[in-house]
Amino acid sequence: MLTVGLLVVGLVLIILQTTVFMFTPTWVAAPDFYYILVAYLAYRIDLFRGLIILLPVSCVLDVFSGTIIGMYPAICFSGYFLLRFISSKMPVRESLYQIPFVAVSYLVVSWLVFQLLNFIQPGTLIPWSWPVMLLRAGLIILFSFPLFRFFEFLNLHLRGRLSSLKILRSRSGNKYR
């Protein structure tokens, strides 16, 4: 049930992102909600379930807004595995690094995909702009906290462990103890 719920939420986020929040395909202030879902899946959901949710979401995003086929699945899977790897190696509290790593990984993955696509098809992409990408990373930071809270609420609700104390209490401490 959790997989279906997060898949539906991912599809709704894609619809919101591509219709409501993106006035033109090159609009600078378009938030990338899908990447926040990718980060949540990497941080909180097991590998198999995360990949089951990520595959259709990234393919639908590629169909809705992809100009180069396969770009969004590459971004989603690269970001997913990068965040999953980084979060497994971090010995500090989760709340200290989760949101900043979402933005940093977004920048790294976007830059790597841009370089790859520019190598394959030079001159077809919009030139890389650090101010634009930093603005998008800032939007990801801005929307990450409320969306993470919503995803956590949905996760608890769909798993049947809905309790007001668990929703209001943030995760603290070291997860490796």
Side-chain angles (χ1 to χ4, degrees), residues 35 82 102-114 128 130:
Y35 202 80
L82 178 66
V102 174
V104 170
S105 70
Y106 175 76
L107 289 173
V108 168
V109 168
S110 296
W111 186 79
L112 289 174
V113 169
F114 177 82
W128 182 267
W130 277 108

Side-chain angles (χ1 to χ4, degrees), residues 21-32:
F21 292 105
M22 187 178 285
F23 300 118
T24 64
T26 59
W27 191 48
V28 175
D32 292 323

Side-chain angles (χ1 to χ4, degrees), residues 66-88:
T67 54
I68 298 173
I69 302 298
M71 182 175 71
Y72 284 106
I75 290 172
C76 290
F77 283 110
S78 299
Y80 178 79
F81 286 117
L82 178 66
L83 285 169
R84 197 159 176 87
F85 175 75
I86 289 173
S87 68
S88 70

Side-chain angles (χ1 to χ4, degrees), residues 43 95-105 141:
Y43 287 144
S95 62
L96 294 177
Y97 68 84
Q98 282 184 338
I99 302 297
F101 274 169
V102 174
V104 170
S105 70
I141 289 173

Side-chain angles (χ1 to χ4, degrees), residues 18-167:
T18 57
T19 57
V20 176
F21 292 105
M22 187 178 285
F23 300 118
T24 64
T26 59
W27 191 48
V28 175
D32 292 323
F33 293 136
Y34 72 91
Y35 202 80
I36 299 170
L37 178 65
V38 168
Y40 181 79
L41 293 174
Y43 287 144
R44 297 276 194 242
I45 306 297
D46 61 287
L47 180 68
F48 182 68
R49 193 174 291 168
L51 292 176
I52 287 175
I53 296 167
L54 197 57
L55 180 64
V57 167
S58 64
C59 290
V60 167
L61 182 62
D62 202 33
V63 168
F64 276 153
S65 64
T67 54
I68 298 173
I69 302 298
M71 182 175 71
Y72 284 106
I75 290 172
C76 290
F77 283 110
S78 299
Y80 178 79
F81 286 117
L82 178 66
L83 285 169
R84 197 159 176 87
F85 175 75
I86 289 173
S87 68
S88 70
K89 301 296 181 188
M90 294 300 292
V92 295
R93 278 190 8 212
E94 290 178 355
S95 62
L96 294 177
Y97 68 84
Q98 282 184 338
I99 302 297
F101 274 169
V102 174
V104 170
S105 70
Y106 175 76
L107 289 173
V108 168
V109 168
S110 296
W111 186 79
L112 289 174
V113 169
F114 177 82
Q115 293 301 326
L116 178 68
L117 292 176
N118 196 29
F119 178 73
I120 294 171
Q121 296 178 342
T124 59
L125 299 175
I126 298 170
W128 182 267
S129 172
W130 277 108
V132 170
M133 293 309 293
L134 290 174
L135 174 67
R136 289 190 176 173
L139 287 172
I140 285 177
I141 289 173
L142 182 70
F143 285 109
S144 286
F145 185 72
L147 283 176
F148 266 49
R149 298 286 294 207
F150 173 71
F151 295 150
E152 196 65 31
F153 169 78
L154 189 67
N155 187 359
L156 291 172
H157 181 69
L158 291 176
R159 288 184 183 208
R161 292 183 277 169
L162 185 60
S163 168
S164 61
L165 294 176
K166 287 184 180 180
I167 292 171

